[in-house]
PDB file of all heavy atoms in Angstrom:
ATOM      1  N   GLY A 463      47.770  65.080  91.920  1.00  0.00           N
ATOM      2  CA  GLY A 463      48.078  64.584  93.262  1.00  0.00           C
ATOM      3  C   GLY A 463      46.832  64.042  93.967  1.00  0.00           C
ATOM      4  O   GLY A 463      45.912  63.520  93.319  1.00  0.00           O
ATOM      5  N   GLN A 464      46.805  64.150  95.277  1.00  0.00           N
ATOM      6  CA  GLN A 464      45.620  63.688  96.016  1.00  0.00           C
ATOM      7  C   GLN A 464      44.500  64.733  95.998  1.00  0.00           C
ATOM      8  O   GLN A 464      43.365  64.456  95.617  1.00  0.00           O
ATOM      9  CB  GLN A 464      45.950  63.387  97.475  1.00  0.00           C
ATOM     10  CG  GLN A 464      44.673  63.087  98.283  1.00  0.00           C
ATOM     11  CD  GLN A 464      44.887  62.975  99.770  1.00  0.00           C
ATOM     12  OE1 GLN A 464      44.733  61.898 100.326  1.00  0.00           O
ATOM     13  NE2 GLN A 464      45.237  64.068 100.428  1.00  0.00           N
ATOM     14  N   ASP A 465      44.814  65.960  96.412  1.00  0.00           N
ATOM     15  CA  ASP A 465      43.760  66.960  96.587  1.00  0.00           C
ATOM     16  C   ASP A 465      43.229  67.479  95.252  1.00  0.00           C
ATOM     17  O   ASP A 465      42.042  67.829  95.152  1.00  0.00           O
ATOM     18  CB  ASP A 465      44.297  68.164  97.386  1.00  0.00           C
ATOM     19  CG  ASP A 465      44.597  67.798  98.831  1.00  0.00           C
ATOM     20  OD1 ASP A 465      44.441  66.614  99.199  1.00  0.00           O
ATOM     21  OD2 ASP A 465      44.987  68.707  99.597  1.00  0.00           O
ATOM     22  N   ARG A 485      53.014  69.055  84.994  1.00  0.00           N
ATOM     23  CA  ARG A 485      54.382  69.286  84.520  1.00  0.00           C
ATOM     24  C   ARG A 485      54.739  68.225  83.485  1.00  0.00           C
ATOM     25  O   ARG A 485      54.003  67.243  83.303  1.00  0.00           O
ATOM     26  CB  ARG A 485      55.364  69.296  85.673  1.00  0.00           C
ATOM     27  CG  ARG A 485      55.277  68.122  86.608  1.00  0.00           C
ATOM     28  CD  ARG A 485      56.259  68.280  87.731  1.00  0.00           C
ATOM     29  NE  ARG A 485      56.064  67.263  88.742  1.00  0.00           N
ATOM     30  CZ  ARG A 485      56.917  67.007  89.705  1.00  0.00           C
ATOM     31  NH1 ARG A 485      58.033  67.711  89.794  1.00  0.00           N
ATOM     32  NH2 ARG A 485      56.684  66.065  90.597  1.00  0.00           N
ATOM     33  N   ASP A 510      55.306  74.332  85.195  1.00  0.00           N
ATOM     34  CA  ASP A 510      56.103  73.819  86.311  1.00  0.00           C
ATOM     35  C   ASP A 510      56.309  74.981  87.278  1.00  0.00           C
ATOM     36  O   ASP A 510      56.573  76.116  86.857  1.00  0.00           O
ATOM     37  CB  ASP A 510      57.455  73.316  85.780  1.00  0.00           C
ATOM     38  CG  ASP A 510      58.191  72.503  86.824  1.00  0.00           C
ATOM     39  OD1 ASP A 510      58.544  73.065  87.904  1.00  0.00           O
ATOM     40  OD2 ASP A 510      58.419  71.314  86.597  1.00  0.00           O
ATOM     41  N   MET A 511      56.162  74.701  88.573  1.00  0.00           N
ATOM     42  CA  MET A 511      56.295  75.760  89.578  1.00  0.00           C
ATOM     43  C   MET A 511      57.683  76.391  89.576  1.00  0.00           C
ATOM     44  O   MET A 511      57.851  77.502  90.075  1.00  0.00           O
ATOM     45  CB  MET A 511      55.981  75.205  90.972  1.00  0.00           C
ATOM     46  CG  MET A 511      54.549  74.757  91.182  1.00  0.00           C
ATOM     47  SD  MET A 511      53.329  76.035  90.837  1.00  0.00           S
ATOM     48  CE  MET A 511      53.599  77.166  92.203  1.00  0.00           C
ATOM     49  N   LEU A 532      47.953  73.935  94.605  1.00  0.00           N
ATOM     50  CA  LEU A 532      48.147  72.688  95.356  1.00  0.00           C
ATOM     51  C   LEU A 532      49.481  72.029  95.020  1.00  0.00           C
ATOM     52  O   LEU A 532      49.873  71.056  95.686  1.00  0.00           O
ATOM     53  CB  LEU A 532      47.009  71.706  95.043  1.00  0.00           C
ATOM     54  CG  LEU A 532      45.585  72.239  95.181  1.00  0.00           C
ATOM     55  CD1 LEU A 532      44.574  71.130  94.910  1.00  0.00           C
ATOM     56  CD2 LEU A 532      45.351  72.816  96.577  1.00  0.00           C
ATOM     57  N   ALA A 533      50.174  72.515  94.010  1.00  0.00           N
ATOM     58  CA  ALA A 533      51.431  71.876  93.594  1.00  0.00           C
ATOM     59  C   ALA A 533      52.485  72.022  94.687  1.00  0.00           C
ATOM     60  O   ALA A 533      52.639  73.089  95.271  1.00  0.00           O
ATOM     61  CB  ALA A 533      51.949  72.502  92.306  1.00  0.00           C
ATOM     62  N   ALA A 534      53.183  70.942  94.962  1.00  0.00           N
ATOM     63  CA  ALA A 534      54.284  71.001  95.936  1.00  0.00           C
ATOM     64  C   ALA A 534      55.081  69.709  95.909  1.00  0.00           C
ATOM     65  O   ALA A 534      54.577  68.673  95.481  1.00  0.00           O
ATOM     66  CB  ALA A 534      53.726  71.199  97.348  1.00  0.00           C
ATOM     67  N   SER A 536      55.536  67.521  98.394  1.00  0.00           N
ATOM     68  CA  SER A 536      54.738  67.543  99.625  1.00  0.00           C
ATOM     69  C   SER A 536      55.155  66.492 100.642  1.00  0.00           C
ATOM     70  O   SER A 536      54.546  66.393 101.701  1.00  0.00           O
ATOM     71  CB  SER A 536      53.256  67.366  99.282  1.00  0.00           C
ATOM     72  OG  SER A 536      52.985  66.008  98.997  1.00  0.00           O
ATOM     73  N   TYR A 602      60.633  71.072 104.305  1.00  0.00           N
ATOM     74  CA  TYR A 602      59.276  71.242 103.764  1.00  0.00           C
ATOM     75  C   TYR A 602      58.524  72.316 104.556  1.00  0.00           C
ATOM     76  O   TYR A 602      57.947  73.240 103.987  1.00  0.00           O
ATOM     77  CB  TYR A 602      58.523  69.909 103.829  1.00  0.00           C
ATOM     78  CG  TYR A 602      57.041  70.026 103.548  1.00  0.00           C
ATOM     79  CD1 TYR A 602      56.557  70.058 102.253  1.00  0.00           C
ATOM     80  CD2 TYR A 602      56.116  70.108 104.604  1.00  0.00           C
ATOM     81  CE1 TYR A 602      55.192  70.169 102.000  1.00  0.00           C
ATOM     82  CE2 TYR A 602      54.756  70.213 104.355  1.00  0.00           C
ATOM     83  CZ  TYR A 602      54.299  70.247 103.052  1.00  0.00           C
ATOM     84  OH  TYR A 602      52.949  70.369 102.820  1.00  0.00           O
ATOM     85  N   LYS A 606      57.151  76.109 103.310  1.00  0.00           N
ATOM     86  CA  LYS A 606      55.737  76.486 103.369  1.00  0.00           C
ATOM     87  C   LYS A 606      55.511  77.758 104.197  1.00  0.00           C
ATOM     88  O   LYS A 606      54.547  78.483 103.982  1.00  0.00           O
ATOM     89  CB  LYS A 606      54.905  75.314 103.915  1.00  0.00           C
ATOM     90  CG  LYS A 606      54.747  74.152 102.926  1.00  0.00           C
ATOM     91  CD  LYS A 606      53.710  74.467 101.842  1.00  0.00           C
ATOM     92  CE  LYS A 606      53.428  73.273 100.971  1.00  0.00           C
ATOM     93  NZ  LYS A 606      52.313  73.501 100.026  1.00  0.00           N
ATOM     94  N   LEU A 629      45.967  73.608 106.338  1.00  0.00           N
ATOM     95  CA  LEU A 629      45.306  72.317 106.474  1.00  0.00           C
ATOM     96  C   LEU A 629      46.145  71.325 107.260  1.00  0.00           C
ATOM     97  O   LEU A 629      47.354  71.204 107.055  1.00  0.00           O
ATOM     98  CB  LEU A 629      44.975  71.756 105.079  1.00  0.00           C
ATOM     99  CG  LEU A 629      43.595  72.173 104.523  1.00  0.00           C
ATOM    100  CD1 LEU A 629      43.378  73.677 104.550  1.00  0.00           C
ATOM    101  CD2 LEU A 629      43.369  71.617 103.123  1.00  0.00           C
ATOM    102  N   ASN A 631      46.627  67.189 108.377  1.00  0.00           N
ATOM    103  CA  ASN A 631      46.716  66.001 107.509  1.00  0.00           C
ATOM    104  C   ASN A 631      45.341  65.563 107.026  1.00  0.00           C
ATOM    105  O   ASN A 631      44.424  65.404 107.837  1.00  0.00           O
ATOM    106  CB  ASN A 631      47.353  64.835 108.264  1.00  0.00           C
ATOM    107  CG  ASN A 631      48.760  65.134 108.711  1.00  0.00           C
ATOM    108  OD1 ASN A 631      49.023  66.194 109.285  1.00  0.00           O
ATOM    109  ND2 ASN A 631      49.679  64.227 108.454  1.00  0.00           N
ATOM    110  N   HIS A 632      45.254  65.327 105.725  1.00  0.00           N
ATOM    111  CA  HIS A 632      44.007  64.767 105.190  1.00  0.00           C
ATOM    112  C   HIS A 632      44.353  63.697 104.169  1.00  0.00           C
ATOM    113  O   HIS A 632      45.299  63.813 103.413  1.00  0.00           O
ATOM    114  CB  HIS A 632      43.103  65.850 104.622  1.00  0.00           C
ATOM    115  CG  HIS A 632      43.800  66.835 103.750  1.00  0.00           C
ATOM    116  ND1 HIS A 632      44.535  67.881 104.244  1.00  0.00           N
ATOM    117  CD2 HIS A 632      43.896  66.899 102.415  1.00  0.00           C
ATOM    118  CE1 HIS A 632      45.044  68.564 103.259  1.00  0.00           C
ATOM    119  NE2 HIS A 632      44.688  67.995 102.122  1.00  0.00           N
ATOM    120  N   ARG A 637      45.578  58.799  98.382  1.00  0.00           N
ATOM    121  CA  ARG A 637      46.736  59.376  99.067  1.00  0.00           C
ATOM    122  C   ARG A 637      48.008  58.735  98.495  1.00  0.00           C
ATOM    123  O   ARG A 637      48.026  57.519  98.214  1.00  0.00           O
ATOM    124  CB  ARG A 637      46.613  59.052 100.566  1.00  0.00           C
ATOM    125  CG  ARG A 637      47.727  59.577 101.445  1.00  0.00           C
ATOM    126  CD  ARG A 637      47.844  61.055 101.373  1.00  0.00           C
ATOM    127  NE  ARG A 637      48.167  61.657 102.659  1.00  0.00           N
ATOM    128  CZ  ARG A 637      48.812  62.819 102.773  1.00  0.00           C
ATOM    129  NH1 ARG A 637      49.212  63.505 101.716  1.00  0.00           N
ATOM    130  NH2 ARG A 637      49.038  63.336 103.974  1.00  0.00           N
TER     131      ARG A 637
HETATM  132  P1  NAP W1997      50.474  65.477  96.439  1.00  0.00           P
HETATM  133  O1  NAP W1997      49.574  64.305  96.308  1.00  0.00           O
HETATM  134  O2  NAP W1997      51.920  65.262  96.708  1.00  0.00           O
HETATM  135  O3  NAP W1997      50.344  66.306  95.074  1.00  0.00           O
HETATM  136  C1  NAP W1997      51.228  67.345  94.756  1.00  0.00           C
HETATM  137  C2  NAP W1997      51.128  67.664  93.280  1.00  0.00           C
HETATM  138  O4  NAP W1997      52.092  68.713  92.999  1.00  0.00           O
HETATM  139  C3  NAP W1997      51.482  66.495  92.349  1.00  0.00           C
HETATM  140  O5  NAP W1997      50.470  66.352  91.391  1.00  0.00           O
HETATM  141  C4  NAP W1997      52.789  66.923  91.704  1.00  0.00           C
HETATM  142  O6  NAP W1997      52.925  66.578  90.344  1.00  0.00           O
HETATM  143  C5  NAP W1997      52.671  68.454  91.763  1.00  0.00           C
HETATM  144  N1  NAP W1997      54.002  69.057  91.636  1.00  0.00           N
HETATM  145  C6  NAP W1997      55.120  68.739  92.327  1.00  0.00           C
HETATM  146  N2  NAP W1997      56.160  69.493  91.896  1.00  0.00           N
HETATM  147  C7  NAP W1997      55.683  70.292  90.922  1.00  0.00           C
HETATM  148  C8  NAP W1997      56.267  71.288  90.095  1.00  0.00           C
HETATM  149  N3  NAP W1997      57.555  71.587  90.167  1.00  0.00           N
HETATM  150  N4  NAP W1997      55.474  71.922  89.211  1.00  0.00           N
HETATM  151  C9  NAP W1997      54.165  71.604  89.089  1.00  0.00           C
HETATM  152  N5  NAP W1997      53.544  70.668  89.835  1.00  0.00           N
HETATM  153  C10 NAP W1997      54.304  70.013  90.741  1.00  0.00           C
HETATM  154  O7  NAP W1997      49.927  66.491  97.538  1.00  0.00           O
HETATM  155  P2  NAP W1997      48.460  66.604  98.172  1.00  0.00           P
HETATM  156  O8  NAP W1997      48.356  65.708  99.332  1.00  0.00           O
HETATM  157  O9  NAP W1997      47.452  66.556  97.085  1.00  0.00           O
HETATM  158  O10 NAP W1997      48.523  68.077  98.779  1.00  0.00           O
HETATM  159  C11 NAP W1997      48.175  69.212  97.989  1.00  0.00           C
HETATM  160  C12 NAP W1997      48.847  70.443  98.570  1.00  0.00           C
HETATM  161  O11 NAP W1997      48.406  70.640  99.897  1.00  0.00           O
HETATM  162  C13 NAP W1997      50.364  70.385  98.641  1.00  0.00           C
HETATM  163  O12 NAP W1997      50.847  71.678  98.403  1.00  0.00           O
HETATM  164  C14 NAP W1997      50.662  69.980 100.073  1.00  0.00           C
HETATM  165  O13 NAP W1997      51.917  70.460 100.472  1.00  0.00           O
HETATM  166  C15 NAP W1997      49.530  70.687 100.788  1.00  0.00           C
HETATM  167  N6  NAP W1997      49.065  70.081 102.020  1.00  0.00           N
HETATM  168  C16 NAP W1997      48.697  68.767 102.028  1.00  0.00           C
HETATM  169  C17 NAP W1997      48.212  68.201 103.191  1.00  0.00           C
HETATM  170  C18 NAP W1997      47.776  66.773 103.239  1.00  0.00           C
HETATM  171  O14 NAP W1997      47.635  66.248 104.347  1.00  0.00           O
HETATM  172  N7  NAP W1997      47.536  66.120 102.118  1.00  0.00           N
HETATM  173  C19 NAP W1997      48.089  69.002 104.348  1.00  0.00           C
HETATM  174  C20 NAP W1997      48.448  70.328 104.293  1.00  0.00           C
HETATM  175  C21 NAP W1997      48.914  70.871 103.111  1.00  0.00           C
HETATM  176  P3  NAP W1997      53.304  65.098  89.861  1.00  0.00           P
HETATM  177  O15 NAP W1997      52.024  64.341  89.947  1.00  0.00           O
HETATM  178  O16 NAP W1997      53.781  65.348  88.472  1.00  0.00           O
HETATM  179  O17 NAP W1997      54.357  64.590  90.786  1.00  0.00           O
END
Side-chain angles (χ1 to χ4, degrees):
Q464 172 188 247
D465 292 3
R485 51 182 172 167
D510 193 297
M511 294 304 290
L532 309 183
S536 77
Y602 169 83
K606 288 283 187 173
L629 271 52
N631 299 48
H632 46 280
R637 180 59 142 153

